[in-house]
Amino acid sequence: MSSERLLQNTHLDKSSYIPLYIQVRDILKELINSGKLQPGDQIPSENELSTEYNISRMTVRQASQELIREGYISIKRGEGTFVNAASHTQMLLKLEGFSSEMAKLGYRNHSRVLNIEMVEAFDSFGMAYTGLGKEPGEALVRICRVRYVEETPFAIETSFLPLDIGQGLLNPRMADDASLYNYIEKDLHIRLSRADHVIQPGLADQEIANLLEIAKGSPVLNLHGTTFSMNNQPVEYLEGIYRGDKYELKVVITK
Amino acid sequence: MSSERLLQNTHLDKSSYIPLYIQVRDILKELINSGKLQPGDQIPSENELSTEYNISRMTVRQASQELIREGYISIKRGEGTFVNAASHTQMLLKLEGFSSEMAKLGYRNHSRVLNIEMVEAFDSFGMAYTGLGKEPGEALVRICRVRYVEETPFAIETSFLPLDIGQGLLNPRMADDASLYNYIEKDLHIRLSRADHVIQPGLADQEIANLLEIAKGSPVLNLHGTTFSMNNQPVEYLEGIYRGDKYELKVVITK
DNA sequence: TATGATAACATGTCTAGACAAGTAGATCAA
DNA sequence: TTGATCTACTTGTCTAGACATGTTATCATA
């Protein structure tokens, strides 16, 4: 049982408000991210984990299902559960957000806020009003940012927020390197749950090309869609333009 | 309990080899696809379903989790489970495949096989060899198809198959409108499970532009990646080029 | 008329089992 | 040596509950 060594220094807090299956998921995720579990490695079996942590096997399975959805592991019935090969691919769409994602990969990244303002123009930003379920006449907060990795611009992101969520960012003005998702989750205590995004290929016009430091007419990915909170309230409408040469989109689909 | 009317004529076969949660999932999916459950409608609660079908609530929840993953429903804790708004968006990536997806939307679609042949050229198709886990020297079957919807070309798809899977398509030559996924699942009895795809924006060159009937330099989506069977064997390496003006990619992400 | 408690009902998490079925390795027989 | 069988171990499905917690509507109270 090499799992004993592997799992030492890990433990569950049964009195925590954090569900047990989330704790197990995060322990396994940490073992993978830290390299203690390498791609191809078999992770401890469901029985081993349920015995080790003194929890039900169904709870362990709940953790596994999460990790499958996130692409960390795959299961071979009758054989075991194995760590997937890490992907070099950037996931545009992780709800964890840009900063933590890039940091995990070891890249220094930062942002520049081009513009942050209150807007009240249904005609110009109809998609955002619709996406957030707001009526014409209501005010939104609009944030334009350029994302950099190691001094190279990667993306232009425009976020539209309902006034009650975004007004705290107007004064004082949101810092260049602040994380929007961190602000929403940590400061406002709104837990994010679901993002409903659409992606299309497109071409860079002159303004976009300048900001992203690419040639006019270069391929880009256009993304737009709404992010929802845990209780299904729309929290953000995002429009993103991503450099086609730097970004790719990885999707794992399970039937 | 309007659910009684809704669920009449539905039943589970407890002696079937098809798991109960799959049967429940498919009943609900059918109710949604047939329009008996409209977007925004509340579906019967977990307790109602478990009572109605005389199964455990956990089994009902397993069905719900599937439908959430597939984007059909969303759950509001304490409130209920609701049908999502249908998306007009084409999902590039559904494992069900192109034909059934388009048929569901009511479009007539067909394909044209440009080319189907055995290849043995690691140098030209290195990505495919790697994706399928094959060694140089092994033969693959390569299928080039153009996809049409209502006479408009939408996509060019090149599938690479291991010889044992693809050889049945060489002679007789695969029919223009045959479904590859149907062939693999129904004829070869290989159940597909997971697809690992990468998408990037690109530009159409002259050859692509001609086939897709668009201007050279128009934006396209390039996709490549491997599809795996239920027991994690690579089954297909797919390279697709999709018209940017017709296709968009919809992704629902759940944290 | 407001407000606050409460009840009914929804989903979220978790248990401690059960049996089924797929896989791999050991063992035994031809 | 080869092949079949057995066994131990894995994941898949399912049960019949339990208590926690979020939502809504109702109803009693100030």
Side-chain angles (χ1 to χ4, degrees), chain A residues 101-117:
Chain A
E101 197 60 30
M102 294 310 275
K104 213 179 283 172
L105 295 170
Y107 294 110
R108 281 185 316 110
N109 68 83
H110 65 104
S111 305
R112 186 158 59 91
V113 175
L114 292 181
N115 192 280
I116 176 165
E117 58 183 354

Side-chain angles (χ1 to χ4, degrees), chain A residues 195-237:
Chain A
D196 218 326
H197 286 164
V198 168
I199 294 159
Q200 281 185 305
L203 305 178
D205 66 20
Q206 192 60 62
E207 186 191 349
I208 304 295
N210 288 345
L211 285 168
L212 291 180
E213 298 174 15
I214 54 180
K216 182 182 165 186
S218 300
V220 295
L221 282 174
N222 293 314
L223 172 147
H224 62 96
T226 307
T227 306
F228 296 87
S229 72
M230 221 53 133
N231 46 345
N232 267 291
Q233 293 301 309
V235 167
E236 178 202 28
Y237 180 82

Side-chain angles (χ1 to χ4, degrees), chain B:
Chain B
M1 305 258 181
S2 69
S3 69
E4 284 169 12
R5 252 202 311 278
L6 188 68
L7 297 178
Q8 77 185 169
N9 298 327
T10 67
H11 70 284
L12 300 188
D13 177 1
K14 292 216 180 187
S15 65
S16 165
Y17 71 96
I18 299 170
L20 295 175
Y21 76 95
I22 298 284
Q23 295 184 47
V24 174
R25 180 199 70 183
D26 289 345
I27 287 173
L28 293 174
K29 206 189 276 190
E30 177 54 29
L31 288 172
I32 293 170
N33 284 332
S34 70
K36 283 177 192 148
L37 279 170
Q38 292 286 326
D41 282 0
Q42 182 167 7
I43 74 174
S45 75
E46 294 170 357
N47 274 320
E48 280 180 283
L49 287 169
S50 67
T51 304
E52 175 70 26
Y53 293 125
N54 197 27
I55 57 178
S56 153
R57 202 185 127 212
M58 286 300 269
T59 304
V60 175
R61 283 181 65 78
Q62 223 174 327
S64 310
Q65 293 304 314
E66 292 265 315
L67 291 170
I68 291 172
R69 274 202 303 115
E70 297 179 32
Y72 281 86
I73 61 173
S74 52
I75 287 183
K76 301 187 190 181
R77 179 174 186 180
E79 205 171 338
T81 304
F82 302 86
V83 178
N84 281 342
S87 169
H88 301 295
T89 310
Q90 178 60 25
M91 292 184 74
L92 261 185
L93 303 160
K94 275 287 244 189
L95 266 186
E96 291 179 28
F98 174 81
S99 308
S100 68
E101 197 61 29
M102 293 310 274
K104 213 178 285 171
L105 296 171
Y107 294 111
R108 282 185 317 108
N109 69 82
H110 65 106
S111 306
R112 186 159 59 91
V113 176
L114 292 180
N115 193 280
I116 175 165
E117 59 183 353
M118 233 171 65
V119 296
E120 203 182 313
F122 183 82
D123 293 344
S124 308
F125 309 119
M127 290 284 284
Y129 276 84
T130 308
L132 291 173
K134 296 291 177 191
E135 299 298 322
E138 293 188 71
L140 304 180
V141 173
R142 176 168 172 270
I143 303 171
C144 274
R145 290 186 294 177
V146 183
R147 308 288 214 166
Y148 296 83
V149 172
E150 308 272 357
E151 315 309 320
T152 305
F154 265 61
I156 304 166
E157 289 187 344
T158 306
S159 299
F160 292 87
L161 308 171
L163 188 57
D164 54 331
I165 289 174
Q167 62 187 354
L169 298 168
L170 292 167
N171 238 316
R173 190 173 182 271
M174 182 185 187
D176 266 352
D177 283 323
S179 160
L180 183 56
Y181 290 147
N182 252 338
Y183 173 73
I184 292 174
E185 293 215 297
K186 302 277 164 62
D187 294 353
L188 300 183
H189 301 292
I190 296 173
R191 286 176 67 198
L192 302 175
S193 79
R194 197 168 68 93
D196 219 325
H197 286 163
V198 169
I199 295 159
Q200 281 184 305
L203 305 178
D205 65 21
Q206 192 61 61
E207 187 190 349
I208 304 294
N210 288 344
L211 285 168
L212 291 180
E213 300 174 11
I214 53 180
K216 182 181 167 187
S218 301
V220 294
L221 282 174
N222 293 315
L223 172 147
H224 62 95
T226 307
T227 306
F228 296 88
S229 71
M230 221 54 132
N231 48 344
N232 267 290
Q233 293 301 308
V235 167
E236 178 203 26
Y237 180 82
L238 177 66
E239 288 178 358
I241 301 166
Y242 302 84
R243 270 177 70 163
D245 57 340
K246 297 289 181 189
Y247 262 118
E248 45 185 30
L249 183 62
K250 190 192 171 199
V251 192
V252 178
I253 316 134
T254 322
K255 195 161 189 178

Side-chain angles (χ1 to χ4, degrees), chain A residues 2-248:
Chain A
S2 69
S3 67
E4 284 169 14
R5 251 202 312 279
L6 187 68
L7 298 179
Q8 77 184 171
N9 299 327
T10 67
H11 70 284
L12 300 188
D13 177 1
K14 293 216 180 187
S15 63
S16 165
Y17 71 97
I18 299 169
L20 295 174
Y21 77 96
I22 298 284
Q23 295 184 47
V24 173
R25 181 198 69 182
D26 289 345
I27 287 172
L28 293 174
K29 205 188 277 190
E30 176 55 29
L31 288 171
I32 294 169
N33 284 333
S34 70
K36 282 175 192 151
L37 279 169
Q38 291 286 326
D41 282 0
Q42 182 167 7
I43 74 175
S45 76
E46 295 170 357
N47 273 319
E48 281 180 284
L49 287 169
S50 66
T51 305
E52 175 70 26
Y53 293 125
N54 197 28
I55 57 177
S56 155
R57 203 187 126 212
M58 286 299 271
T59 304
V60 174
R61 281 181 66 78
Q62 222 174 329
S64 310
Q65 292 305 313
E66 291 265 316
L67 291 169
I68 289 171
R69 274 204 303 117
E70 297 180 32
Y72 280 86
I73 62 174
S74 52
I75 288 183
K76 299 187 190 182
R77 178 176 184 178
E79 204 170 337
T81 303
F82 302 87
V83 178
N84 281 342
S87 168
H88 301 297
T89 309
Q90 177 62 23
M91 292 182 74
L92 261 186
L93 303 161
K94 275 287 242 190
L95 268 185
E96 292 180 30
F98 174 83
S99 307
S100 68
E101 197 60 30
M102 294 310 275
K104 213 179 283 172
L105 295 170
Y107 294 110
R108 281 185 316 110
N109 68 83
H110 65 104
S111 305
R112 186 158 59 91
V113 175
L114 292 181
N115 192 280
I116 176 165
E117 58 183 354
M118 232 168 67
V119 295
E120 203 183 313
F122 182 82
D123 292 344
S124 309
F125 309 120
M127 291 284 284
Y129 276 84
T130 308
L132 291 173
K134 295 292 178 191
E135 299 298 321
E138 295 188 69
L140 304 178
V141 173
R142 177 168 171 268
I143 304 171
C144 274
R145 290 185 294 176
V146 183
R147 309 289 214 164
Y148 296 83
V149 172
E150 306 274 358
E151 315 309 320
T152 306
F154 265 61
I156 304 166
E157 288 186 344
T158 305
S159 299
F160 292 87
L161 309 171
L163 188 57
D164 55 328
I165 291 173
Q167 62 186 355
L169 298 167
L170 292 167
N171 238 317
R173 192 173 179 273
M174 183 186 187
D176 266 353
D177 284 325
S179 161
L180 182 57
Y181 290 147
N182 252 338
Y183 173 73
I184 291 173
E185 293 214 299
K186 302 276 164 62
D187 294 353
L188 301 183
H189 302 292
I190 296 174
R191 286 176 68 196
L192 302 174
S193 80
R194 198 169 67 93
D196 218 326
H197 286 164
V198 168
I199 294 159
Q200 281 185 305
L203 305 178
D205 66 20
Q206 192 60 62
E207 186 191 349
I208 304 295
N210 288 345
L211 285 168
L212 291 180
E213 298 174 15
I214 54 180
K216 182 182 165 186
S218 300
V220 295
L221 282 174
N222 293 314
L223 172 147
H224 62 96
T226 307
T227 306
F228 296 87
S229 72
M230 221 53 133
N231 46 345
N232 267 291
Q233 293 301 309
V235 167
E236 178 202 28
Y237 180 82
L238 177 67
E239 288 178 358
I241 300 165
Y242 302 85
R243 270 176 71 162
D245 58 339
K246 297 290 181 185
Y247 261 118
E248 46 186 29

